[in-house]
């Protein structure tokens, strides 16, 4: 390993190493590659990756294709930049280099999320996450967008329950950390159209676990005065295959959510609501 | 004949509003975006969205005042009918977003809470914590997902819009896109294309904007003949946190909730700011603008902060420009309820709790007022004919533009919390316009050859880039240089010599960029080639900004040229001061005559050509824009008297001589 004792006068290292688990495409093998980045104040993992892209050269001086990754907002609100950093799933834009180096001097390790198929390097395919939002009908079923007056009055207390749930940015950290959430990777068949592939993929997704984020969204919409009108449809989905019963209540999800969404509270609420729904269904038939 | 389809480029607030409304009208929509639409830049918007409310109405507010604030804030450089219509729709739009489930903050009784924003005296701004854009975007994203489930919307996420497809008569017949994963290039036939691709902050390197805000989609339309309006008007937000990768915004809502901007009266006072007594603090915005205080419009706040640091040497720190933005006098509970989202950003990235310690902030590039030129049809009452197919169409028939990427609503300066409104508004009104267009379209569909040749053209450009050998320029480094040049010459203060040098430099960078070699020449998720294309497309816009700024020898809104501004009044003796004010007003009148017109850039294949367009100011006559600046009231007074005299002259010509003489 390289010598990390070189420090500039202000106690910061002159540079640091970033070790990245790369993969050239779906279904291909992965490999480790190390890059050296000159230290600058106020860096985060994104700015380090930007330097790496500009250099496109490994520690050994080998010219390589720039590492692929995703980001957009750079302020932890868009959910794009999720990756596994020093073993922990999190947003890379808010992962500050100073703090990472303080915890783990000299080297930063980046890996793609494990629960989603890798497209390339640190970029993964997360459409399952959005598919889950369709499964639980995460929307308000309004009549339309013409002028129909204002919405319902709501108390401050209700707003203060809804708002945190509504901050879910579909980053997928909760899914990466969940022991019950298993990766689903559907590879294209030869000659298959992209529409046909998508259909097959969605069917697979719909059998898999919906995940903590979608359960929490279902609870958000079930609490809304209009959203409540399809509460039972959402609950039925949660009682179906891939629904709430998969959750083992390990509580890993809530620990890693960058938005500190009270996922386990939502899960508990969903548990009570589905139980009631079960009784209701017995009486209905 | 196949069913009519519409292609929407971009799924921020504007694009999603358009998609959802089109779907409601039964029109199938294809929605293309670089990112999953839920991750669009609109999620960054923090502070809120404006409209007149039942409460402000009883304080004397109404839509005409919102209209007036917007036009005055924009220094009269926007056509007035679209702005008037937008402010009329404001309350309806907030009601709609409320119905769609946006968790707006509430009053104790359960109504929507409001806060004050810059450039107005009323508390018009509805908000959802300090992440209003995120909440509005999610509500629209959810509705679009609902239509996607119903089969009316088809998303193409992770696709790059490469340009419109125009037929022999110059009508837009669809577009070309590239899949960012497989790198496949294909065409999308469409009966109308709506560009809703947002701003272009990346031209300035670092800004408050997101990483996909490259302006590439706009530039690709511009290079195909779409006109670009008011390129030189770029908003620099007064309060951002300087950072290595991004200048993170500290929303105006911080001041709306009572935040105060100050510097120690002693330059670089080393004391802990909390221990500096009131008498030794300089609340320069409050002192200079007693009426609006910390909530003067952005261009003014930015120039004052810049002036305090650069000209008066009062920056809080020695080797870094910054001033204090102080919230520490407000209770934690109140701050957490209304501003948690932005305070967490400061805490996370600066490692300091702004509830305890004043924040250090400095201006940053934030928003582009300029954008694709779009049309409208005026009603006799001065509003918009919404159903007209001309609403939001560019000069290319069939190609529409909405949201931050059009030039329509904000003139020379945008007021805070008016953009979320203009984005949703333009998205909602473009749908009926397009319906009218589709209903009136006849004639044969274009031949498949048109699409095939468009695809082939883009494919060969792409292959050419990948195959380039021997170039040694690095696209990322050229981008950095471009950002530095643009930030130095074309932000807060503009001088002709600097602009001319910058233009030369940008021309040179644009040449050098032709020699970029790619470090990735593969055809799978190649971000290197996508970025290089976006970089190449930054130059036409950058040149337009610099040329527009160079040509405009005046100061207006965000465009400030001290060499062409009227000096402040100097005299103290009342008679002399009045004479100076008279002179100031003469100058203002002449300047208005000469410069109250929009810059229109047209691409000639190598460079932008500039022409000018008259502005419809028929509803609110232009007036000096001083925001009650201390000491300048006499100018407003002189101007009022002149306008009064003019109005009298118009109604009673015989009196004209007497009024002017008095
Ligand atoms: C930090 C910050 C805070 C703000 N706060 C406020 C506020 O409080 N109130 C307010 O009124 N305004 C605010 N604004 C301004 C406001 O957020 C934006 O003007 C608005 O969100 C723009 O929305 P849009 O729909 O036009 O574009 P965006 O939300 O930027 O969306 C653009 C879309 O176009 C797509 N796109 C772009 N290029 C291409 C391409 N080549 N191919 C395919 N797709 C493409 C993107 O993927 C994206 O989906 C703020 C801005 C910033 C930067
Ligand atoms: S509580 Fe449920 S959803 Fe959360 S991590 Fe555990 S098993 Fe997964
Ligand atoms: S619940 Fe939290 S961790 Fe899960 S997707 Fe939403 S924001 Fe991310
Ligand atoms: S870039 Fe948006 S969350 Fe990190």
């Amino acid at each position: 390993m390289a010598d990390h004792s070189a420090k500039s006068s202000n106690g910061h290292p002159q540079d640091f190493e970033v070790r990245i688990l790369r993969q050239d495409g779906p279904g291909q093998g992965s490999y480790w590659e190390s890059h050296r980045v000159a230290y600058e104040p106020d860096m985060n993992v994104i700015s380090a990756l930007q330097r790496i892209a500009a250099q496109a050269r490994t520690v050994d001086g080998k010219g390589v294709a720039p590492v692929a990754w995703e980001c957009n907002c750079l302020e932890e609100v868009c959910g794009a930049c999720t990756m596994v950093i020093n073993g922990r799933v999190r947003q890379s834009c808010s992962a500050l280099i100073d703090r990472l180096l303080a915890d783990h001097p000299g080297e930063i390790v980046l890996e793609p999320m494990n629960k989603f198929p890798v497209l390339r390097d640190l970029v993964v395919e997360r459409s399952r996450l959005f598919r889950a939002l369709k499964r639980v009908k995460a929307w308000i079923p309004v009549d339309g967008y013409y002028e129909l007056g204002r919405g319902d009055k709501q108390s401050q207390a209700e707003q203060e329950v809804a708002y945190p749930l509504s901050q879910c940015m579909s980053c997928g950290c909760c899914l990466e950390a969940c022991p019950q959430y298993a990766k689903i990777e559907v590879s294209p068949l030869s000659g298959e159209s992209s529409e046909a592939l998508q259909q097959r993929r969605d069917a697979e997704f719909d059998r898999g676990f919906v995940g903590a984020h979608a359960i929490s969204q279902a609870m958000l919409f079930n609490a809304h005065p209009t959203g409540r009108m399809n509460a039972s449809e959402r609950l039925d989905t949660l009682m179906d295959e891939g629904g709430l019963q998969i959750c083992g209540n390990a509580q890993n999800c809530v620990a890693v959510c960058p938005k500190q969404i009270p996922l386990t509270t939502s899960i508990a609420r969903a548990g009570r609501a589905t139980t009631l729904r079960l009784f209701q269904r017995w009486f209905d038939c | 004949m196949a069913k009519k389809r519409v292609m929407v480029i971009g799924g921020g607030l504007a694009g999603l509003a358009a998609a959802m409304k089109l779907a409601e009208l039964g029109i199938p929509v294809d929605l293309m975006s670089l990112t999953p639409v839920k991750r669009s830049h609109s999620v960054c918007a923090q502070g809120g969205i404006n409209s007149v409310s039942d409460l402000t109405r009883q304080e004397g507010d109404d839509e005409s005042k919102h209209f007036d604030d917007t036009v005055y804030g924009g220094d009269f450089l926007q056509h007035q009918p679209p702005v008037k219509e937008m402010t009329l729709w404001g309350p309806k739009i907030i009601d709609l977003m409320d119905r769609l489930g946006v968790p707006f903050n509430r009053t104790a009784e359960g109504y929507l809470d409001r806060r004050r924003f810059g450039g107005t005296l009323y508390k018009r701004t509805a908000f959802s914590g300090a992440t209003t854009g995120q909440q509005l975007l999610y509500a629209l994203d959810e509705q679009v997902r609902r239509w996607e489930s119903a089969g009316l919307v088809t998303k193409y996420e992770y696709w790059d819009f490469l340009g419109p497809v125009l037929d022999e008569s110059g009508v837009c017949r669809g577009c070309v896109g590239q899949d960012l994963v497989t790198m496949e290039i294909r065409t999308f036939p469409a009966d109308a294309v709506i560009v809703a691709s947002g701003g272009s902050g990346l031209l300035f390197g670092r800004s408050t904007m997101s990483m996909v805000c490259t302006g590439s989609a706009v530039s690709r339309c511009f290079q195909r003949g779409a006109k670009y309006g008011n390129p030189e008007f770029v908003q620099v937000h007064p309060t951002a946190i300087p950072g290595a990768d991004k200048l993170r915004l500290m929303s105006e809502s911080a001041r709306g909730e009572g935040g105060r901007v100050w510097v120690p009266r002693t330059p670089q006072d080393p004391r802990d700011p909390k221990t500096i007594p009131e008498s030794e603090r300089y609340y320069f915005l409050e002192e200079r603008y007693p009426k609006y205080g910390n909530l003067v419009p952005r261009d003014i706040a930015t120039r004052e902060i810049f002036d305090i640091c650069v000209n008066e040497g009062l920056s809080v720190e020695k080797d870094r420009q910054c001033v204090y933005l102080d919230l520490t006098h407000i209770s934690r509970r109140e701050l957490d309820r209304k501003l948690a989202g932005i305070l967490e950003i400061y805490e996370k990235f600066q490692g300091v709790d702004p509830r305890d310690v004043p924040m250090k902030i400095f201006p940053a590039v934030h928003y582009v007022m300029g954008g694709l030129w779009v049309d409208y049809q005026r009603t006799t009452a001065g509003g918009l004919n919404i159903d007209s197919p001309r609403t939001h169409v560019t000069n290319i028939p069939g190609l529409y533009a909405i949201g931050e990427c059009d030039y329509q609503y904000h003139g020379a300066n945008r007021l805070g919390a008016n953009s979320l409104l203009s984005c949703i508004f333009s998205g909602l009104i473009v749908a009926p316009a397009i319906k009218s267009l589709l209903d009136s379209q006849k004639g044969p569909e274009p031949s498949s050859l048109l699409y095939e040749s468009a695809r082939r053209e883009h494919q060969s450009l792409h292959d050419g880039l990948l195959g380039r050998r021997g170039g040694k320029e690095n696209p990322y480094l050229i981008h950095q240089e471009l950002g530095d040049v643009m930030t130095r010459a074309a932000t807060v203060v503009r001088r002709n010599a600097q602009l001319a040098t910058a233009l030369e430099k940008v021309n040179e960078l644009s040449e050098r960029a032709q020699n970029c070699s790619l470090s990735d020449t593969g055809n799978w998720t190649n971000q290197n080639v996508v970025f290089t294309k976006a970089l190449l497309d930054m130059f036409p816009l950058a040149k337009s900004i610099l040329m527009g700024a160079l040509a405009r020898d005046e100061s207006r809104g965000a465009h400030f040229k001290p060499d062409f501004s009227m000096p402040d009044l100097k005299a103290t003796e009342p008679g002399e001061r009045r004479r100076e004010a008279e002179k100031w007003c003469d100058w203002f009148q002449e300047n208005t005559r000469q410069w109250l017109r929009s810059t229109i850039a047209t691409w000639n294949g190598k460079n932008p050509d500039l022409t000018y367009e008259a502005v419809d100011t028929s509803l609110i006559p232009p007036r000096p824009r001083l925001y009650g600046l201390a000491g300048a009231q006499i100018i407003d007074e002189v101007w009022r008297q002149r306008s009064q005299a003019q109005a009298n002259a118009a109604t009673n010509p015989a009196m004209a001589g007497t009024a002017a003489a008095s």
Side-chain angles (χ1 to χ4, degrees):
Chain A
M1 207 164 138
D3 176 15
H4 297 297
S5 55
K7 295 215 171 167
S8 61
S9 52
N10 54 15
H12 292 304
Q14 276 162 2
D15 51 33
F16 56 93
E17 231 173 87
V18 183
R19 201 149 61 87
I20 303 170
L21 186 62
R22 300 195 62 170
Q23 182 174 329
D24 297 341
Q28 306 198 26
S30 56
Y31 56 96
W32 289 99
E33 195 175 273
S34 288
H35 293 260
R36 188 180 305 286
V37 179
Y39 176 89
E40 291 164 52
D42 297 330
M43 277 182 121
N44 54 16
V45 165
I46 301 286
S47 41
L49 282 167
Q50 287 170 338
R51 303 295 179 273
I52 290 172
Q55 292 165 201
R57 204 159 282 285
T58 65
V59 230
D60 321 315
K62 190 170 114 207
V64 290
V67 177
W69 84 97
E70 260 191 87
C71 69
N72 197 21
C73 70
L74 305 191
E75 51 196 49
E76 207 172 68
V77 68
C78 78
C81 68
T82 319
M83 55 185 81
V84 178
I85 302 171
N86 285 352
R88 201 185 123 213
V89 65
R90 57 183 298 185
Q91 299 318 107
S92 49
C93 62
S94 59
L96 305 182
I97 297 296
D98 282 335
R99 239 167 277 164
L100 292 173
L101 289 179
D103 294 347
H104 195 279
E107 189 190 57
I108 290 166
V109 183
L110 307 180
E111 297 164 78
M113 296 168 89
N114 290 299
K115 298 291 173 70
F116 298 93
V118 172
L119 287 173
R120 181 168 184 181
D121 299 335
L122 302 167
V123 181
V124 295
E125 208 280 309
R126 278 179 285 180
S127 62
R128 179 177 168 194
L129 215 148
F130 296 112
R131 178 75 195 171
L133 297 180
K134 282 190 196 152
R135 284 170 76 183
V136 299
K137 298 194 167 51
W139 52 70
I140 305 283
V142 291
D143 287 347
Y145 314 120
Y146 290 93
E147 197 183 345
L148 295 171
R150 61 161 60 107
D152 297 272
K153 251 194 195 182
Q154 266 181 53
S155 69
Q156 288 187 343
E158 285 167 308
Q159 193 270 350
E160 283 169 33
V161 172
Y163 178 66
L165 302 190
S166 188
Q167 282 188 299
C168 171
M169 56 181 176
S170 302
C171 64
C173 287
C174 56
L175 308 175
E176 176 74 12
C178 172
Q180 301 299 99
Y181 197 84
K183 177 165 164 177
I184 297 179
E185 182 156 13
V186 179
S187 308
L189 305 172
S190 73
E192 193 178 28
S193 73
S194 54
E195 287 75 22
L197 172 65
Q198 195 56 48
Q199 264 181 15
R200 218 155 46 81
R201 199 176 265 157
D202 286 347
E204 282 301 314
F205 289 164
D206 290 352
R207 279 193 288 275
F209 182 30
V210 283
H213 75 300
I215 298 172
S216 184
Q217 288 289 302
M219 292 303 101
L220 167 66
F221 289 98
N222 278 8
H224 185 276
T226 318
R228 200 174 287 151
M229 295 175 191
N230 1 45
S232 34
E233 289 172 57
R234 293 193 192 93
L235 293 176
D236 289 347
T237 304
L238 294 185
M239 293 157 76
D240 258 3
E241 188 181 2
L244 194 62
Q245 75 284 359
I246 309 263
C247 166
N249 208 14
Q251 314 219 348
N252 295 9
C253 49
V254 72
V256 295
C257 171
K259 293 282 147 190
Q260 279 119 30
I261 295 172
L263 293 169
T264 39
T265 313
S266 289
I267 290 169
R269 200 175 295 152
R272 286 192 299 274
T274 44
T275 311
L276 279 176
R277 173 79 186 135
L278 196 63
F279 285 122
Q280 192 195 356
R281 286 211 295 213
W282 282 337
F283 287 115
D284 280 354
C285 55
Chain B
M1 198 158 121
K3 191 150 165 64
K4 305 259 180 197
R5 295 191 80 77
V6 173
M7 169 59 87
V8 179
I9 310 298
L13 282 172
L16 291 176
M20 121 190 149
K21 187 70 195 173
L22 283 164
E24 180 181 44
L25 297 176
I27 300 169
V29 177
D30 292 318
L31 177 56
M32 181 186 288
S33 169
L34 286 168
T35 64
V37 293
K38 192 178 176 180
R39 311 200 194 286
S40 291
H41 169 63
S42 290
V43 292
C44 290
Q46 305 173 340
I49 173 165
N50 287 336
S51 85
V52 172
S53 77
D54 291 347
L55 194 108
T56 62
R57 238 181 256 289
Q58 295 170 59
E59 296 168 344
D61 192 17
D62 63 20
E63 283 80 355
S64 72
K65 290 203 169 146
H66 185 190
F67 173 33
D68 188 272
D69 282 343
T70 306
V71 165
Y72 184 53
D75 221 347
F76 298 90
L77 197 62
Q78 61 273 69
H79 293 305
Q80 295 180 355
V83 183
K84 176 175 169 162
E85 192 71 36
M86 173 180 82
T87 55
L88 288 175
W89 277 57
K92 295 192 262 185
I93 286 177
I94 304 233
D95 282 349
L96 172 61
M97 298 314 294
D98 184 21
R99 282 176 47 228
L100 297 186
V102 173
F104 284 115
N105 275 50
R106 302 282 163 164
T107 65
E109 196 183 329
Y111 290 107
L112 301 193
D113 200 359
R114 304 275 177 153
R115 61 177 156 223
R116 218 183 112 201
F117 249 63
T120 180
L121 298 171
Y122 296 101
K123 277 177 134 180
R124 290 198 191 106
T125 309
F127 60 100
S128 190
T131 60
T132 314
Q134 179 197 41
Q135 296 305 316
L136 295 171
L137 185 90
Y138 288 2
L140 298 182
D141 173 63
E142 288 148 16
Q143 293 302 316
V144 170
R145 187 166 293 108
R146 191 180 162 207
W147 287 111
E148 194 188 7
S149 293
L152 263 137
V153 173
T154 311
K155 285 184 188 154
Y156 294 88
E157 293 175 321
Y158 298 108
W159 278 76
D160 191 6
F161 165 78
L162 298 181
V165 176
L166 308 184
D167 67 15
E168 324 67 57
S169 45
V171 176
C172 176
R173 298 306 203 121
C175 74
V176 186
Q178 180 165 33
D179 184 325
L180 297 181
V181 178
T182 64
M183 307 314 282
E184 173 201 356
I185 292 177
R186 63 165 274 203
T187 51
F188 294 81
D191 299 283
V193 174
I194 308 175
V195 182
S197 58
S200 46
L202 254 72
L203 289 178
F204 291 81
R206 291 172 306 158
S207 72
T208 64
M209 286 191 217
S210 299
M211 298 309 283
V212 301
C213 300
T214 59
S216 59
V218 164
S219 180
R220 288 163 194 170
C221 295
F222 179 52
Q223 292 172 72
R224 294 282 153 151
K227 294 184 196 168
Y228 194 79
N230 288 330
E232 67 269 36
F233 291 92
V234 176
Q235 179 165 81
V236 181
H237 194 289
T239 59
I241 319 165
D245 54 333
K246 184 182 188 190
L247 309 172
R248 294 180 179 84
L249 183 74
M250 200 29 68
S251 161
E252 196 164 289
S253 51
R255 283 169 289 142
E257 296 297 347
R260 303 177 74 187
V261 174
W262 62 279
V263 288
R265 289 195 186 269
T266 318
Q268 291 87 50
D269 194 325
R271 284 176 291 177
D272 168 1
K274 297 272 279 177
T275 67
I276 300 180
E278 282 288 304
S279 62
E280 293 175 42
R281 298 175 176 197
Y282 185 14
Y283 293 98
F284 51 97
L285 290 174
E286 296 171 32
E287 278 188 33
R288 294 180 187 179
Y289 298 89
K291 190 166 160 200
Y292 286 83
N294 291 292
L295 289 172
V296 285
R298 293 178 175 168
D299 56 316
I300 297 183
T302 292
R303 277 196 291 280
E304 295 292 353
I305 292 172
F306 197 80
D307 184 59
I308 279 281
C309 295
V310 177
N311 300 327
E312 302 203 21
L314 286 174
S315 170
V316 166
E317 287 183 11
K318 197 159 99 230
D319 26 314
R320 198 170 64 126
Q321 313 279 21
C322 55
V323 302
Y324 287 128
L325 170 58
D326 197 343
L327 291 168
T328 58
H329 53 287
I330 304 171
S331 83
R332 287 187 89 88
R333 157 98 189 125
E334 190 72 3
L335 290 177
D336 283 338
R337 227 166 57 74
K338 295 184 170 168
L339 296 174
I342 53 172
L343 301 183
E344 279 161 15
I345 291 179
Y346 194 85
E347 220 173 338
K348 211 169 281 162
F349 290 93
Q350 299 303 103
V352 175
D353 186 351
R355 298 166 192 86
D356 297 330
V357 183
M359 294 179 273
K360 292 179 191 168
I361 54 91
F362 197 68
V365 168
H366 178 62
Y367 183 87
V368 291
M369 274 74 72
L372 291 171
W373 177 91
V374 291
D375 201 3
Y376 64 91
Q377 195 178 42
R378 190 184 197 273
T379 60
T380 38
L384 289 194
N385 178 355
I386 300 291
D387 294 326
S388 165
R390 279 170 57 193
T391 305
H392 276 277
V393 72
T394 65
N395 56 306
I396 296 176
L399 181 66
Y400 290 71
I402 54 172
E404 185 167 342
C405 76
D406 75 46
Y407 89 131
Q408 188 85 297
Y409 298 94
H410 307 291
N413 170 63
R414 168 173 75 83
L415 290 191
N418 256 356
S419 173
L420 300 183
L421 179 62
S422 63
C423 287
I424 299 176
F425 172 66
S426 55
L428 292 177
I429 65 168
V430 78
I434 287 199
K435 180 157 182 6
S436 307
L437 173 80
L438 302 191
D439 290 347
S440 70
Q441 272 173 345
K442 36 187 176 297
E445 282 178 46
S447 82
S448 58
L449 285 174
L450 177 69
Y451 298 106
E452 184 43 29
S453 81
R455 194 199 63 77
R456 240 185 284 127
E457 182 193 333
H458 284 280
Q459 187 70 53
S460 74
L461 281 172
H462 175 78
D463 296 342
L465 266 179
L466 289 187
R468 220 179 246 177
R469 297 277 173 265
K472 51 191 177 317
E473 298 288 354
N474 181 325
Y476 303 99
L477 300 181
I478 292 202
H479 176 235
Q480 251 176 35
E481 278 190 62
L482 173 68
D484 290 345
V485 176
M486 295 299 289
T487 304
R488 233 176 299 125
T491 51
V492 188
V493 178
R494 294 163 170 189
R495 296 185 188 275
N496 284 348
Q498 274 179 358
L499 288 165
T501 320
L503 189 57
E504 270 172 41
K505 181 78 194 168
V506 166
N507 283 330
E508 180 200 316
L509 285 173
S510 151
E511 297 289 315
R512 277 174 50 197
Q514 299 301 327
N515 286 321
C516 279
S517 67
L518 300 186
S519 40
D520 185 352
T521 53
N523 248 333
W524 183 260
T525 319
N526 184 338
Q527 299 180 333
N528 196 219
V529 67
V530 174
F531 179 80
T532 306
K533 281 183 198 172
L535 172 71
L536 291 169
D537 289 325
M538 286 182 195
F539 292 103
L541 298 187
K543 290 182 189 180
S544 305
I545 294 173
L546 294 172
M547 285 174 61
L550 187 58
R552 187 176 283 275
D553 281 338
E554 65 151 356
S555 291
R556 182 176 301 281
H559 172 74
F560 176 59
K561 264 192 188 171
D563 299 340
F564 297 88
S565 299
M566 188 66 181
D568 296 341
L569 308 190
K570 301 249 162 35
T572 45
E573 192 273 317
E576 184 53 31
R577 204 170 165 81
R578 191 177 174 90
R579 268 187 295 283
E580 276 188 6
E582 292 280 359
K583 228 175 92 195
W584 199 100
C585 289
D586 293 343
W587 167 85
F588 175 81
Q589 235 162 342
E590 174 51 25
N591 190 67
T592 304
R593 194 191 58 72
Q594 197 184 345
W595 281 115
L596 183 48
R597 32 191 203 155
S598 303
T599 307
I600 305 293
T602 316
W603 187 246
N604 68 17
K606 258 192 99 142
N607 279 303
D609 289 328
L610 301 186
T611 53
Y612 293 90
E613 174 194 61
V615 181
D616 180 347
T617 58
S618 59
L619 305 171
I620 306 175
R623 62 179 188 274
R625 178 177 179 269
L626 297 160
Y627 285 97
L629 173 70
Q633 291 87 345
I634 181 77
I635 297 178
D636 282 330
E637 197 183 307
V638 167
W639 186 260
R640 239 190 332 270
Q641 288 165 354
R642 271 191 199 189
S643 316
Q644 192 58 49
Q646 248 172 22
N648 290 346
T651 48
N652 186 355
M655 294 285 288
T658 20
S662 68

